[in-house]
Amino acid sequence: MVSVKKKASIKGGLGLRKQKTPTPSDDTDELDRLVEEKIVSANNNNKWLKVKTALEETPKASNSTSNTADNGDIEYSSSDESHQSRDESALKRIDSHGSSSDESLARVGSSWDDEDQQENAFFEKSVKVETHQAVVKVLEHGNTQMLVLEANPMKGIPTCVEPDDVVIKVDCSTITLQDCMIRRGHWIDMQPLPFIPGSDIVGTIKELGSSELGSRFRIGDLVAAIVPSGGNAKYAKVKARDLLLVPNGVDPVTALCISSTYVPAKQSLELSRYEGTPLTGANVLVIGANGPTALATIDLALLEGANVYATADKRHHVHLRSLGVKQCFSVNPLKWLPHLEGKMDVVLDSVCLDGYESSAKALGPNGKLVCTGMSATFTQGRIEGPYGIGDMRSLTASYQKARVKYRIHNAHYYDKVESFRDEKGIYAQYFKYLCHIQTNGLFKPTVAARASLSMVSSLQKAIERGETPYGVCVATPWLTREDL
């Protein structure tokens, strides 16, 4: 498990938390102790859940950390630390993870010495002050030690500069695998440093950049935003074009879950329809079914009466079957393709374990493949280029995306950011529709855990290891550890 040690000092009263330079032992120095962490689960009526964790022992001779990501639990090693084979032998390792219970708790570990506790107390106290910003930042690419907690009373809160700027007081934001991979420096949509995690935000409008925006928004409106970065903070400055009004009666966390997972799931299913017909009775296969958006996809497909099949690590099968999944398989295509080849009406693949080849082979004559991501391309280690040109993960991802668009028959590539940017009106309408049917009780979004800003690093670490509960991981910037 990657360490969450946060060595820092506060100088000049500014509250800047400076990360120390990581050493080989930092990734393993807390693996021999029990940790108690407080976390809130939506399935437990927001009561205290004290999570007691015996962290797994990792060989201390190695500086690499083998992790499982929220992508069907595919094993990977941190890039720039070790290399991994990408041949068939790698596929055979997919199901080799240690067993894990299906309890709905995140096994999150954190370690603080006396100095850390004092600094964390300073940061936690600053969270309650409305006159200045508090934020999680990545200043250098690397493991969770590169996450910096910053509370600077001298800077105050963001203000509007351009006419289309909007300042939001953040109620909640997402913590995702995408954040983890951008922090590590390997993702298809990389962001510049310093990087603030959190690409989906819900909050209330505090300031508008111009009076012209008053025809669309008002101070105090609850809005959702889809942005490249910036959510894990008390305040975020965004563009008005990136905002969606949240319907009355929808709470912020529910709106966040719908915007970040249910709208992408719904739009992916719309792409999969045969001549626009409902999916009632259709055979639908979801690859990497334990992730937040995949779970939302299963939820919506079952609402339409589809026969849902799923691939995931074995430890997730009991939970998936409890949702109504008809049959579960290993994420390894060598194990599930012989059973499903040519039988599926729809395949939704967010993993791209073998360039979508197996997913395409699973389709029946009129079947459709919807590719919603390629997490395995980035989480399975370096892809060495010829002549020593370096890691080719980003180039490989771009190639696979182009292949889906232009070479694979009956295939679509769905990108949430592109959909929101290019067809915001359609995205907004699906958002309103899903909020409407959710308030009528047709589905209930699941929150994996809620975390204060000081807990973001712990939750990112749990995501990388595949140890979060099922659902969306939520950052709540105005709450401290003691509030949760």
Side-chain angles (χ1 to χ4, degrees):
M1 182 179 282
V2 180
S3 172
V4 194
K5 199 87 167 174
K6 303 184 188 69
K7 283 288 188 181
S9 62
I10 303 172
K11 297 184 178 180
L14 300 183
L16 176 65
R17 300 177 59 85
K18 300 179 181 178
Q19 74 277 20
K20 69 174 182 178
T21 303
T23 61
S25 63
D26 288 335
D27 283 348
T28 56
D29 61 359
E30 65 179 66
L31 297 176
D32 56 353
R33 67 185 74 166
L34 292 175
V35 178
E36 287 192 354
E37 183 61 81
K38 292 174 181 178
I39 214 161
V40 171
S41 169
N43 293 329
N44 287 269
N45 300 320
N46 294 337
K47 295 179 180 179
W48 274 113
L49 294 178
K50 184 168 286 189
V51 183
K52 200 168 189 177
T53 307
L55 298 176
E56 298 174 4
E57 183 174 355
T58 299
K60 299 183 184 294
S62 172
N63 190 34
S64 64
T65 305
S66 179
N67 302 308
T68 54
D70 198 0
N71 57 11
D73 296 301
I74 297 171
E75 189 172 346
Y76 76 97
S77 295
S78 304
S79 63
D80 304 322
E81 295 177 331
S82 66
H83 295 208
Q84 238 186 20
S85 171
R86 303 179 63 84
D87 57 13
E88 183 175 304
S89 64
L91 301 182
K92 293 179 180 178
R93 291 198 300 272
I94 292 169
D95 292 323
S96 65
H97 310 304
S99 61
S100 172
S101 66
D102 287 320
E103 61 186 357
S104 59
L105 300 177
R107 294 179 291 163
V108 179
S110 174
S111 176
W112 303 92
D113 58 21
D114 291 340
E115 182 184 356
D116 290 326
Q117 291 173 4
Q118 292 173 5
E119 293 164 358
N120 189 56
F122 175 90
F123 181 83
E124 296 278 80
K125 184 178 294 186
S126 72
V127 165
K128 299 295 186 180
V129 182
E130 295 204 12
T131 56
H132 68 265
Q133 175 73 299
V135 64
V136 177
K137 286 185 178 180
V138 178
L139 303 181
E140 301 176 53
H141 291 136
N143 60 22
T144 52
Q145 289 178 312
M146 299 299 105
L147 288 167
V148 178
L149 297 171
E150 182 179 288
N152 191 337
M154 302 297 292
K155 288 186 177 181
I157 66 177
T159 58
C160 294
V161 177
E162 302 294 333
D164 60 343
D165 285 344
V166 178
V167 174
I168 299 173
K169 181 180 179 182
V170 178
D171 288 310
C172 52
S173 60
T174 51
I175 305 171
T176 63
L177 175 66
Q178 172 181 310
D179 296 334
C180 299
M181 296 311 298
I182 292 176
R183 167 177 46 77
R184 289 184 175 272
H186 300 287
W187 196 245
I188 191 168
D189 295 314
M190 281 301 298
Q191 301 299 319
L193 297 176
F195 166 67
I196 300 174
S199 58
D200 290 89
I201 307 170
V202 172
T204 54
I205 293 178
K206 182 175 179 61
E207 181 185 358
L208 297 172
S210 65
S211 58
E212 286 78 8
L213 295 178
S215 61
R216 298 157 55 195
F217 305 107
R218 294 179 299 177
I219 304 298
D221 280 347
L222 185 65
V223 291
I226 297 176
V227 293
S229 64
N232 293 172
K234 285 166 55 178
Y235 295 94
K237 182 168 69 175
V238 303
K239 296 297 183 183
R241 63 177 178 270
D242 296 330
L243 296 178
L244 300 170
L245 280 171
V246 176
N248 293 333
V250 180
D251 69 85
V253 172
T254 297
L256 182 73
C257 294
I258 291 174
S259 176
S260 63
T261 60
Y262 276 85
V263 176
K266 178 66 173 175
Q267 291 196 308
S268 298
L269 289 173
E270 292 300 316
L271 289 173
S272 72
R273 301 185 190 282
Y274 176 67
E275 297 184 349
T277 57
L279 296 173
T280 309
N283 293 325
V284 175
L285 173 63
V286 180
I287 306 293
N290 58 292
T293 302
L295 291 171
T297 302
I298 291 171
D299 214 354
L300 295 178
L302 290 171
L303 275 177
E304 290 195 42
N307 302 312
V308 179
Y309 301 81
T311 75
D313 187 79
K314 187 176 181 180
R315 61 194 170 112
H316 301 299
H317 289 187
V318 171
H319 177 72
L320 293 171
R321 283 194 293 269
S322 74
L323 299 178
V325 171
K326 190 169 185 178
Q327 193 169 0
C328 297
F329 299 90
S330 163
V331 75
N332 185 345
L334 300 176
K335 295 185 178 180
W336 63 258
L337 187 57
H339 302 278
L340 302 180
E341 186 169 2
K343 298 178 181 179
M344 295 294 105
D345 299 300
V346 175
V347 178
L348 301 111
D349 189 341
S350 64
V351 180
C352 190
L353 188 59
D354 59 359
Y356 306 117
E357 291 289 344
S358 55
S359 295
K361 290 178 181 178
L363 295 175
N366 296 313
K368 289 190 178 181
L369 168 62
V370 181
C371 304
T372 59
M374 51 186 73
S375 53
T377 302
F378 294 95
T379 59
Q380 284 195 306
R382 291 172 62 92
I383 301 176
E384 293 293 346
Y387 310 111
I389 64 174
D391 195 336
M392 294 186 64
R393 277 181 277 190
S394 294
L395 184 60
T396 300
S398 297
Y399 168 73
Q400 297 293 3
K401 190 173 180 178
R403 241 179 109 251
V404 171
K405 289 183 175 181
Y406 305 112
R407 297 291 299 275
I408 301 179
H409 181 63
N410 278 354
H412 302 273
Y413 191 90
Y414 175 80
D415 184 291
K416 180 183 76 172
V417 174
E418 288 182 1
S419 174
F420 183 79
R421 181 190 64 212
D422 299 339
E423 297 179 316
K424 181 187 172 184
I426 296 175
Y427 197 100
Q429 192 63 23
Y430 278 120
F431 177 65
K432 292 178 185 177
Y433 166 72
L434 290 165
C435 286
H436 170 71
I437 67 171
Q438 191 279 326
T439 56
N440 283 278
L442 293 186
F443 67 88
K444 183 178 180 180
T446 302
V447 176
R450 306 181 193 216
S452 66
L453 293 181
S454 63
M455 296 164 64
V456 168
S457 62
S458 295
L459 209 47
Q460 280 200 14
K461 179 173 63 175
I463 288 171
E464 290 186 325
R465 293 181 60 89
E467 293 177 344
T468 57
Y470 302 106
V472 179
C473 294
V474 178
T476 51
W478 292 90
L479 299 180
T480 68
R481 288 170 177 261
E482 297 305 316
D483 293 323
L484 291 172

PDB file of all heavy atoms in Angstrom, residues 75-96:
ATOM      1  N   GLU A  75      -4.305  -5.723 -12.397  1.00  0.00           N
ATOM      2  CA  GLU A  75      -3.094  -5.468 -11.636  1.00  0.00           C
ATOM      3  C   GLU A  75      -2.157  -4.563 -12.423  1.00  0.00           C
ATOM      4  O   GLU A  75      -1.999  -4.693 -13.622  1.00  0.00           O
ATOM      5  CB  GLU A  75      -2.395  -6.799 -11.345  1.00  0.00           C
ATOM      6  CG  GLU A  75      -1.238  -6.677 -10.380  1.00  0.00           C
ATOM      7  CD  GLU A  75      -0.726  -8.043  -9.992  1.00  0.00           C
ATOM      8  OE1 GLU A  75      -1.424  -9.029 -10.254  1.00  0.00           O
ATOM      9  OE2 GLU A  75       0.369  -8.102  -9.436  1.00  0.00           O
ATOM     10  N   TYR A  76      -1.512  -3.607 -11.712  1.00  0.00           N
ATOM     11  CA  TYR A  76      -0.534  -2.769 -12.378  1.00  0.00           C
ATOM     12  C   TYR A  76       0.547  -2.390 -11.390  1.00  0.00           C
ATOM     13  O   TYR A  76       0.372  -2.463 -10.191  1.00  0.00           O
ATOM     14  CB  TYR A  76      -1.184  -1.510 -12.968  1.00  0.00           C
ATOM     15  CG  TYR A  76      -1.523  -0.449 -11.973  1.00  0.00           C
ATOM     16  CD1 TYR A  76      -0.659   0.619 -11.751  1.00  0.00           C
ATOM     17  CD2 TYR A  76      -2.703  -0.489 -11.248  1.00  0.00           C
ATOM     18  CE1 TYR A  76      -0.970   1.607 -10.842  1.00  0.00           C
ATOM     19  CE2 TYR A  76      -3.016   0.493 -10.334  1.00  0.00           C
ATOM     20  CZ  TYR A  76      -2.144   1.548 -10.138  1.00  0.00           C
ATOM     21  OH  TYR A  76      -2.454   2.515  -9.236  1.00  0.00           O
ATOM     22  N   SER A  77       1.656  -1.964 -11.914  1.00  0.00           N
ATOM     23  CA  SER A  77       2.722  -1.435 -11.080  1.00  0.00           C
ATOM     24  C   SER A  77       2.970  -0.003 -11.476  1.00  0.00           C
ATOM     25  O   SER A  77       2.836   0.361 -12.632  1.00  0.00           O
ATOM     26  CB  SER A  77       4.020  -2.237 -11.265  1.00  0.00           C
ATOM     27  OG  SER A  77       3.849  -3.550 -10.802  1.00  0.00           O
ATOM     28  N   SER A  78       3.355   0.820 -10.504  1.00  0.00           N
ATOM     29  CA  SER A  78       3.572   2.227 -10.785  1.00  0.00           C
ATOM     30  C   SER A  78       4.605   2.394 -11.886  1.00  0.00           C
ATOM     31  O   SER A  78       5.676   1.817 -11.844  1.00  0.00           O
ATOM     32  CB  SER A  78       4.064   2.938  -9.523  1.00  0.00           C
ATOM     33  OG  SER A  78       3.146   2.739  -8.477  1.00  0.00           O
ATOM     34  N   SER A  79       4.306   3.224 -12.866  1.00  0.00           N
ATOM     35  CA  SER A  79       5.252   3.476 -13.943  1.00  0.00           C
ATOM     36  C   SER A  79       6.464   4.182 -13.382  1.00  0.00           C
ATOM     37  O   SER A  79       6.410   4.830 -12.347  1.00  0.00           O
ATOM     38  CB  SER A  79       4.605   4.347 -15.017  1.00  0.00           C
ATOM     39  OG  SER A  79       4.279   5.597 -14.469  1.00  0.00           O
ATOM     40  N   ASP A  80       7.571   4.096 -14.095  1.00  0.00           N
ATOM     41  CA  ASP A  80       8.847   4.660 -13.697  1.00  0.00           C
ATOM     42  C   ASP A  80       9.434   3.948 -12.483  1.00  0.00           C
ATOM     43  O   ASP A  80      10.492   4.324 -12.011  1.00  0.00           O
ATOM     44  CB  ASP A  80       8.744   6.164 -13.394  1.00  0.00           C
ATOM     45  CG  ASP A  80       8.171   6.937 -14.563  1.00  0.00           C
ATOM     46  OD1 ASP A  80       8.502   6.588 -15.716  1.00  0.00           O
ATOM     47  OD2 ASP A  80       7.400   7.870 -14.322  1.00  0.00           O
ATOM     48  N   GLU A  81       8.733   2.940 -11.951  1.00  0.00           N
ATOM     49  CA  GLU A  81       9.270   2.182 -10.826  1.00  0.00           C
ATOM     50  C   GLU A  81       9.540   0.739 -11.231  1.00  0.00           C
ATOM     51  O   GLU A  81      10.481   0.129 -10.760  1.00  0.00           O
ATOM     52  CB  GLU A  81       8.294   2.223  -9.646  1.00  0.00           C
ATOM     53  CG  GLU A  81       8.107   3.619  -9.080  1.00  0.00           C
ATOM     54  CD  GLU A  81       7.074   3.626  -7.973  1.00  0.00           C
ATOM     55  OE1 GLU A  81       6.171   2.797  -8.006  1.00  0.00           O
ATOM     56  OE2 GLU A  81       7.193   4.474  -7.080  1.00  0.00           O
ATOM     57  N   SER A  82       8.705   0.181 -12.067  1.00  0.00           N
ATOM     58  CA  SER A  82       8.935  -1.180 -12.527  1.00  0.00           C
ATOM     59  C   SER A  82       8.223  -1.388 -13.844  1.00  0.00           C
ATOM     60  O   SER A  82       7.326  -0.653 -14.215  1.00  0.00           O
ATOM     61  CB  SER A  82       8.436  -2.185 -11.487  1.00  0.00           C
ATOM     62  OG  SER A  82       7.042  -2.104 -11.373  1.00  0.00           O
ATOM     63  N   HIS A  83       8.626  -2.397 -14.580  1.00  0.00           N
ATOM     64  CA  HIS A  83       8.019  -2.715 -15.861  1.00  0.00           C
ATOM     65  C   HIS A  83       7.227  -4.004 -15.727  1.00  0.00           C
ATOM     66  O   HIS A  83       7.560  -4.865 -14.942  1.00  0.00           O
ATOM     67  CB  HIS A  83       9.119  -2.912 -16.923  1.00  0.00           C
ATOM     68  CG  HIS A  83       9.887  -1.670 -17.199  1.00  0.00           C
ATOM     69  ND1 HIS A  83      10.479  -1.426 -18.405  1.00  0.00           N
ATOM     70  CD2 HIS A  83      10.149  -0.578 -16.435  1.00  0.00           C
ATOM     71  CE1 HIS A  83      11.089  -0.262 -18.373  1.00  0.00           C
ATOM     72  NE2 HIS A  83      10.905   0.262 -17.185  1.00  0.00           N
ATOM     73  N   GLN A  84       6.160  -4.115 -16.529  1.00  0.00           N
ATOM     74  CA  GLN A  84       5.329  -5.303 -16.469  1.00  0.00           C
ATOM     75  C   GLN A  84       5.126  -5.874 -17.851  1.00  0.00           C
ATOM     76  O   GLN A  84       4.982  -5.149 -18.819  1.00  0.00           O
ATOM     77  CB  GLN A  84       3.946  -4.939 -15.894  1.00  0.00           C
ATOM     78  CG  GLN A  84       3.630  -5.712 -14.668  1.00  0.00           C
ATOM     79  CD  GLN A  84       2.196  -5.438 -14.222  1.00  0.00           C
ATOM     80  OE1 GLN A  84       1.375  -4.997 -14.993  1.00  0.00           O
ATOM     81  NE2 GLN A  84       1.933  -5.722 -12.986  1.00  0.00           N
ATOM     82  N   SER A  85       5.142  -7.178 -17.930  1.00  0.00           N
ATOM     83  CA  SER A  85       4.846  -7.840 -19.194  1.00  0.00           C
ATOM     84  C   SER A  85       3.401  -7.623 -19.554  1.00  0.00           C
ATOM     85  O   SER A  85       2.527  -7.630 -18.716  1.00  0.00           O
ATOM     86  CB  SER A  85       5.109  -9.345 -19.064  1.00  0.00           C
ATOM     87  OG  SER A  85       4.630 -10.023 -20.195  1.00  0.00           O
ATOM     88  N   ARG A  86       3.105  -7.441 -20.866  1.00  0.00           N
ATOM     89  CA  ARG A  86       1.745  -7.204 -21.315  1.00  0.00           C
ATOM     90  C   ARG A  86       1.267  -8.345 -22.198  1.00  0.00           C
ATOM     91  O   ARG A  86       0.375  -8.178 -23.016  1.00  0.00           O
ATOM     92  CB  ARG A  86       1.671  -5.879 -22.089  1.00  0.00           C
ATOM     93  CG  ARG A  86       2.165  -4.711 -21.265  1.00  0.00           C
ATOM     94  CD  ARG A  86       2.087  -3.439 -22.063  1.00  0.00           C
ATOM     95  NE  ARG A  86       0.710  -3.134 -22.405  1.00  0.00           N
ATOM     96  CZ  ARG A  86      -0.149  -2.505 -21.617  1.00  0.00           C
ATOM     97  NH1 ARG A  86       0.227  -2.143 -20.421  1.00  0.00           N
ATOM     98  NH2 ARG A  86      -1.373  -2.267 -22.026  1.00  0.00           N
ATOM     99  N   ASP A  87       1.857  -9.522 -22.054  1.00  0.00           N
ATOM    100  CA  ASP A  87       1.455 -10.663 -22.868  1.00  0.00           C
ATOM    101  C   ASP A  87       0.380 -11.461 -22.151  1.00  0.00           C
ATOM    102  O   ASP A  87      -0.192 -11.043 -21.156  1.00  0.00           O
ATOM    103  CB  ASP A  87       2.664 -11.538 -23.195  1.00  0.00           C
ATOM    104  CG  ASP A  87       3.367 -12.026 -21.931  1.00  0.00           C
ATOM    105  OD1 ASP A  87       2.774 -11.898 -20.841  1.00  0.00           O
ATOM    106  OD2 ASP A  87       4.498 -12.535 -22.046  1.00  0.00           O
ATOM    107  N   GLU A  88       0.125 -12.654 -22.638  1.00  0.00           N
ATOM    108  CA  GLU A  88      -0.945 -13.469 -22.087  1.00  0.00           C
ATOM    109  C   GLU A  88      -0.713 -13.801 -20.625  1.00  0.00           C
ATOM    110  O   GLU A  88      -1.649 -13.958 -19.861  1.00  0.00           O
ATOM    111  CB  GLU A  88      -1.073 -14.754 -22.911  1.00  0.00           C
ATOM    112  CG  GLU A  88      -2.218 -15.651 -22.472  1.00  0.00           C
ATOM    113  CD  GLU A  88      -2.375 -16.833 -23.403  1.00  0.00           C
ATOM    114  OE1 GLU A  88      -2.539 -16.634 -24.611  1.00  0.00           O
ATOM    115  OE2 GLU A  88      -2.305 -17.960 -22.906  1.00  0.00           O
ATOM    116  N   SER A  89       0.546 -13.881 -20.207  1.00  0.00           N
ATOM    117  CA  SER A  89       0.827 -14.188 -18.809  1.00  0.00           C
ATOM    118  C   SER A  89       0.280 -13.108 -17.887  1.00  0.00           C
ATOM    119  O   SER A  89      -0.106 -13.382 -16.761  1.00  0.00           O
ATOM    120  CB  SER A  89       2.335 -14.334 -18.589  1.00  0.00           C
ATOM    121  OG  SER A  89       3.002 -13.115 -18.845  1.00  0.00           O
ATOM    122  N   ALA A  90       0.240 -11.860 -18.385  1.00  0.00           N
ATOM    123  CA  ALA A  90      -0.332 -10.781 -17.575  1.00  0.00           C
ATOM    124  C   ALA A  90      -1.819 -11.009 -17.374  1.00  0.00           C
ATOM    125  O   ALA A  90      -2.360 -10.734 -16.296  1.00  0.00           O
ATOM    126  CB  ALA A  90      -0.098  -9.432 -18.241  1.00  0.00           C
ATOM    127  N   LEU A  91      -2.497 -11.518 -18.396  1.00  0.00           N
ATOM    128  CA  LEU A  91      -3.929 -11.788 -18.271  1.00  0.00           C
ATOM    129  C   LEU A  91      -4.174 -12.859 -17.221  1.00  0.00           C
ATOM    130  O   LEU A  91      -5.151 -12.807 -16.483  1.00  0.00           O
ATOM    131  CB  LEU A  91      -4.505 -12.243 -19.612  1.00  0.00           C
ATOM    132  CG  LEU A  91      -4.359 -11.277 -20.786  1.00  0.00           C
ATOM    133  CD1 LEU A  91      -5.028 -11.873 -22.011  1.00  0.00           C
ATOM    134  CD2 LEU A  91      -4.997  -9.939 -20.456  1.00  0.00           C
ATOM    135  N   LYS A  92      -3.288 -13.834 -17.152  1.00  0.00           N
ATOM    136  CA  LYS A  92      -3.490 -14.935 -16.217  1.00  0.00           C
ATOM    137  C   LYS A  92      -3.304 -14.502 -14.772  1.00  0.00           C
ATOM    138  O   LYS A  92      -3.681 -15.209 -13.861  1.00  0.00           O
ATOM    139  CB  LYS A  92      -2.537 -16.081 -16.562  1.00  0.00           C
ATOM    140  CG  LYS A  92      -2.864 -16.725 -17.914  1.00  0.00           C
ATOM    141  CD  LYS A  92      -1.898 -17.840 -18.259  1.00  0.00           C
ATOM    142  CE  LYS A  92      -2.237 -18.464 -19.609  1.00  0.00           C
ATOM    143  NZ  LYS A  92      -1.286 -19.514 -20.001  1.00  0.00           N
ATOM    144  N   ARG A  93      -2.679 -13.324 -14.573  1.00  0.00           N
ATOM    145  CA  ARG A  93      -2.478 -12.832 -13.212  1.00  0.00           C
ATOM    146  C   ARG A  93      -3.676 -12.052 -12.703  1.00  0.00           C
ATOM    147  O   ARG A  93      -3.725 -11.674 -11.542  1.00  0.00           O
ATOM    148  CB  ARG A  93      -1.232 -11.942 -13.146  1.00  0.00           C
ATOM    149  CG  ARG A  93       0.060 -12.686 -13.328  1.00  0.00           C
ATOM    150  CD  ARG A  93       1.206 -11.828 -12.801  1.00  0.00           C
ATOM    151  NE  ARG A  93       1.290 -10.562 -13.499  1.00  0.00           N
ATOM    152  CZ  ARG A  93       1.973 -10.372 -14.611  1.00  0.00           C
ATOM    153  NH1 ARG A  93       2.604 -11.390 -15.170  1.00  0.00           N
ATOM    154  NH2 ARG A  93       2.031  -9.196 -15.182  1.00  0.00           N
ATOM    155  N   ILE A  94      -4.640 -11.780 -13.567  1.00  0.00           N
ATOM    156  CA  ILE A  94      -5.736 -10.905 -13.197  1.00  0.00           C
ATOM    157  C   ILE A  94      -6.499 -11.427 -12.003  1.00  0.00           C
ATOM    158  O   ILE A  94      -6.899 -10.679 -11.122  1.00  0.00           O
ATOM    159  CB  ILE A  94      -6.686 -10.698 -14.390  1.00  0.00           C
ATOM    160  CG1 ILE A  94      -5.961  -9.889 -15.467  1.00  0.00           C
ATOM    161  CG2 ILE A  94      -7.948  -9.986 -13.972  1.00  0.00           C
ATOM    162  CD1 ILE A  94      -6.701  -9.863 -16.768  1.00  0.00           C
ATOM    163  N   ASP A  95      -6.717 -12.721 -11.945  1.00  0.00           N
ATOM    164  CA  ASP A  95      -7.518 -13.296 -10.883  1.00  0.00           C
ATOM    165  C   ASP A  95      -6.677 -13.762  -9.690  1.00  0.00           C
ATOM    166  O   ASP A  95      -7.136 -14.524  -8.862  1.00  0.00           O
ATOM    167  CB  ASP A  95      -8.325 -14.478 -11.415  1.00  0.00           C
ATOM    168  CG  ASP A  95      -9.381 -14.017 -12.391  1.00  0.00           C
ATOM    169  OD1 ASP A  95      -9.950 -12.945 -12.150  1.00  0.00           O
ATOM    170  OD2 ASP A  95      -9.618 -14.721 -13.379  1.00  0.00           O
ATOM    171  N   SER A  96      -5.427 -13.299  -9.601  1.00  0.00           N
ATOM    172  CA  SER A  96      -4.533 -13.800  -8.567  1.00  0.00           C
ATOM    173  C   SER A  96      -4.496 -12.930  -7.319  1.00  0.00           C
ATOM    174  O   SER A  96      -3.695 -13.161  -6.435  1.00  0.00           O
ATOM    175  CB  SER A  96      -3.111 -13.910  -9.128  1.00  0.00           C
ATOM    176  OG  SER A  96      -2.611 -12.635  -9.459  1.00  0.00           O
TER     177      SER A  96
END
